[in-house]
Amino acid sequence: MLHVDPIFAATSTASVYAAGGVSALPSSAAGGEALPPPFTIGAVLTETRLDSWLAVGLVLAAGIYLYGVHRLRVRGDHWPVARTVFFLGPGLGGIALVTVSGLHAYDTALLSVHMVQHMMLSMVAPIFLALGAPMTLALRTLPQRPRKRLLAIVHSRIARVYSFPLVAFAIFVVNPFVLYFTDLYRFTLEHAWAHELVHAHFIMTGCVFFWPLLGLDPLPGRWPYPARALLMVLSVPFHTVLGLTVMQSTTLFGGDWYPSLGLDWADPFDDQVLAGGILWAGGEFVSVTMLAVLVIQWIKQSEREARRVDRELDRQEARERAAESAA
């Protein structure tokens, strides 16, 4: 996590190489942490780190999930490959892409990179984690006692209130406005632990919102598909409003934090416009795509229900014919 002393960065001056006339950034900031190099694909690859608590958590989550799939296969039970791919690929892999890769070196230096993290952690990764059905996997592999405890947690009053669609929707919508339009965002830039906590909060908020809408796990109080589709549609305007507000703002988010870094290869105002565009376009794209996924799930569920009704009618006709033959 990049942490630069704004006083040091503001008073640092760039040196110019005589040969190339290129401005050089200060090599380190207060506390010995280096300023990020110009943003390039190569820099993103070379700045990758594997020493964060989030990286450890991702490895553990992947290992536990794969162990559960292995246990099912050992006893001869089937587990869809697509669920494993969703959970490990765009799910955990998406989180790693924006937190473990070199993007982490820029998340407090460029607002646009932070917005990419925001979109991935709160909207993209939680959707695929939900489609991986980890709770169903746990219920099918855990022993009786842990399985009962998991069910008790899922059906607890706190879980019911927190995951209720309207409550989850309110948290999902209000969360970014509270973060970006208060002093909280500047606080997260100045304190690495707070910035990491925001990442975890993004993931939890996205899971709470998308799990009841698109998830495959058995959750209490799940709404019917028409209500879920309506809630998904209602979430689209909020990302548009937030993105346009960020783009049109004449005040820098985080106050003088970004100018104080003294990065001569990035303009804070231009980067903020880009960040708003990412939030606007990304939010609409993800919402519309997930609405399409929800409609597909709705159609498949209707087809399964129709097949179930047909089977029941066939059984009923068979019983009637058997009764007539006996008579």
Side-chain angles (χ1 to χ4, degrees), residues 118-182:
H118 179 158
M119 297 300 302
M120 178 61 72
L121 297 178
S122 65
M123 294 195 68
V124 178
I127 292 170
F128 290 99
L129 293 178
L131 293 177
M135 192 178 302
T136 301
L137 179 63
L139 292 174
R140 292 181 61 182
T141 55
L142 286 174
Q144 185 175 3
R145 250 184 167 177
R147 184 166 61 246
K148 287 184 177 180
R149 291 178 182 176
L150 178 59
L151 286 173
I153 294 173
V154 172
H155 292 275
S156 65
R157 179 171 297 181
I158 295 177
R160 285 175 176 271
V161 172
Y162 194 54
S163 62
F164 183 69
L166 288 180
V167 176
F169 175 76
I171 296 173
F172 183 75
V173 169
V174 172
N175 176 59
F177 287 93
V178 173
L179 174 63
Y180 298 122
F181 294 96
T182 65

Side-chain angles (χ1 to χ4, degrees), residues 61-276:
I64 294 173
Y65 190 93
L66 289 174
Y67 177 70
V69 174
H70 171 71
R71 287 196 57 182
L72 285 181
R73 290 182 177 177
V74 166
R75 71 188 191 194
D77 292 341
H78 173 70
W79 184 256
V81 177
R83 295 185 182 181
T84 304
V85 173
F86 286 150
F87 189 84
L88 299 179
L92 297 182
I95 297 174
L97 179 64
V98 297
T99 58
V100 178
S101 74
L103 286 177
H104 82 90
Y106 299 90
D107 62 357
T108 57
L110 295 174
L111 182 62
S112 57
V113 172
H114 171 78
M115 286 304 179
V116 171
Q117 288 182 323
H118 179 158
M119 297 300 302
M120 178 61 72
L121 297 178
S122 65
M123 294 195 68
V124 178
I127 292 170
F128 290 99
L129 293 178
L131 293 177
M135 192 178 302
T136 301
L137 179 63
L139 292 174
R140 292 181 61 182
T141 55
L142 286 174
Q144 185 175 3
R145 250 184 167 177
R147 184 166 61 246
K148 287 184 177 180
R149 291 178 182 176
L150 178 59
L151 286 173
I153 294 173
V154 172
H155 292 275
S156 65
R157 179 171 297 181
I158 295 177
R160 285 175 176 271
V161 172
Y162 194 54
S163 62
F164 183 69
L166 288 180
V167 176
F169 175 76
I171 296 173
F172 183 75
V173 169
V174 172
N175 176 59
F177 287 93
V178 173
L179 174 63
Y180 298 122
F181 294 96
T182 65
D183 294 333
L184 180 60
Y185 183 62
R186 176 60 185 259
F187 182 82
T188 64
L189 293 174
E190 296 174 342
H191 301 85
W193 64 268
H195 205 73
E196 296 283 356
L197 192 61
V198 166
H199 290 168
H201 180 69
F202 279 153
I203 298 171
M204 292 178 60
T205 302
C207 287
V208 168
F209 178 67
F210 286 107
W211 222 288
L213 298 181
L214 300 169
L216 305 177
D217 290 319
L219 299 175
R222 192 187 292 271
W223 279 12
Y225 278 100
R228 295 190 224 172
L230 176 61
L231 205 60
M232 187 72 73
V233 171
L234 291 176
S235 68
V236 176
F238 290 97
H239 290 97
T240 302
V241 171
L242 181 60
L244 290 175
T245 302
V246 174
M247 292 178 67
Q248 298 173 359
S249 177
T250 57
T251 303
L252 286 176
F253 287 81
D256 63 346
W257 172 266
Y258 294 109
S260 71
L261 299 179
L263 302 179
D264 61 355
W265 48 267
D267 181 82
F269 285 98
D270 291 341
D271 185 65
Q272 182 164 299
V273 174
L274 176 60

